[in-house]
Amino acid sequence: MRRILKGVFRVSGAVFLFIAGYLLTERILSRSAVAEKPDGLPKTVMAFIWSNGVHTDIVLPVTTIYKCWNQTFLYQNTISKDSLCQWIAIGWGDKGFYLNTPEWKDLTLKTAFQAAAGLGETALHVTYYRHVPENDHCRKLLLSSNQYQKLIRYIEASLDRDASGRPVFIATNAQYNRDDAFYEAKGAYSLFHTCNSWTNKGLKAAGAKACKWAAFDRGILYQYR
């Protein structure tokens, strides 16, 4: 019995140290900025980083001369089919979380384990909005044309496509509202590459200000305070 107790304490201690180290490392690196890479061009594209308190989306204008997102993510794939929306929020994450966990009370051990271990599939969650409120959970950033086009390429590279090159729409009843839809994505979600890590890597890819590493939303919002 003593050996069993010692083993339990050792495992518990190792888990505690891992969690503490993970949280401390994330805190330090998410508050450490990767400086913007100015390209000398005027910043003509307005975008936002929007958090729901846990997960961040990159919010972009639906239509610019550089990209019409409604041609990639069709209005018809949402319940409302509202073509008057002017903004699109795009987030990446574990497919099981998106589709099977509308609320935290719905989270199962299997879903959590698969997500943490990088065993599950991933998806892009796309939501259309008519208006975007700038506040503590929604921070504005301005991008040059080159920065925005880099961000477009980053998002498109995360999107899985069929043999014809079309985005793979996920038919589901798990929508969060009447203006969202899900699409198959590339990549694996894990403790070290979360939905917020994806957002942060997108900012880096665009040459915008970002965190050195972020697993949670607060560090990214901190950079745009």
Side-chain angles (χ1 to χ4, degrees):
M1 179 63 72
R2 185 174 296 177
R3 289 182 179 178
I4 294 175
L5 289 176
K6 283 184 178 180
V8 170
F9 285 133
R10 286 176 180 173
V11 172
S12 299
V15 171
F16 174 79
L17 289 175
F18 173 80
I19 293 174
Y22 178 86
L23 294 175
L24 179 60
T25 301
E26 199 280 340
R27 173 77 181 189
I28 293 171
L29 294 181
S30 66
R31 268 61 175 184
S32 302
V34 174
E36 179 186 4
K37 298 177 181 178
D39 55 17
L41 297 175
K43 296 185 177 183
T44 57
V45 180
M46 182 185 299
F48 297 88
I49 302 298
W50 195 342
S51 170
N52 65 2
V54 177
H55 165 91
T56 51
D57 286 337
I58 300 172
V59 185
L60 304 169
V62 172
T63 303
T64 63
I65 61 173
Y66 313 107
K67 177 71 178 180
C68 293
W69 288 106
N70 58 303
Q71 295 179 6
T72 301
F73 305 115
L74 304 180
Y75 289 125
Q76 289 85 341
N77 288 337
T78 67
I79 296 173
S80 71
K81 300 176 175 54
D82 186 357
S83 61
L84 297 179
C85 292
Q86 300 178 21
W87 299 93
I88 184 171
I90 304 171
W92 175 95
D94 181 78
K95 185 177 176 181
F97 259 109
Y98 274 141
L99 302 185
N100 303 322
T101 315
E103 298 181 12
W104 285 110
K105 64 181 178 63
D106 301 309
L107 180 63
T108 65
L109 182 61
K110 178 181 178 181
T111 297
F113 176 77
Q114 286 183 334
L119 300 176
E121 298 178 325
T122 54
L124 286 181
H125 181 224
V126 174
T127 309
Y128 282 104
Y129 294 96
R130 289 195 177 192
H131 306 285
V132 177
E134 185 179 355
N135 53 44
D136 288 344
H137 290 280
C138 188
R139 305 291 175 84
K140 181 174 69 174
L141 64 150
L142 296 173
L143 302 170
S144 71
S145 58
N146 279 349
Q147 288 176 323
Y148 184 47
Q149 289 176 80
K150 289 177 182 178
L151 183 56
I152 292 171
R153 290 194 291 271
Y154 172 80
I155 294 171
E156 291 187 326
S158 300
L159 184 62
D160 205 0
R161 297 176 183 272
D162 63 19
S164 300
R166 294 172 297 192
V168 181
F169 168 65
I170 301 173
T172 177
N173 294 321
Q175 291 95 338
Y176 295 177
N177 55 54
R178 293 179 54 80
D179 299 302
D180 69 330
F182 295 94
Y183 296 83
E184 299 285 356
K186 296 179 180 177
Y189 183 102
S190 72
L191 286 173
F192 303 100
H193 184 54
T194 68
C195 52
N196 300 304
S197 304
W198 180 86
T199 297
N200 191 59
K201 287 182 70 175
L203 295 171
K204 287 182 180 179
K209 183 168 60 174
C211 311
K212 288 187 177 178
W213 175 63
F216 308 119
D217 64 325
R218 291 188 178 183
I220 301 173
L221 296 176
Y222 174 83
Q223 301 300 336
Y224 287 89
R225 63 195 186 282

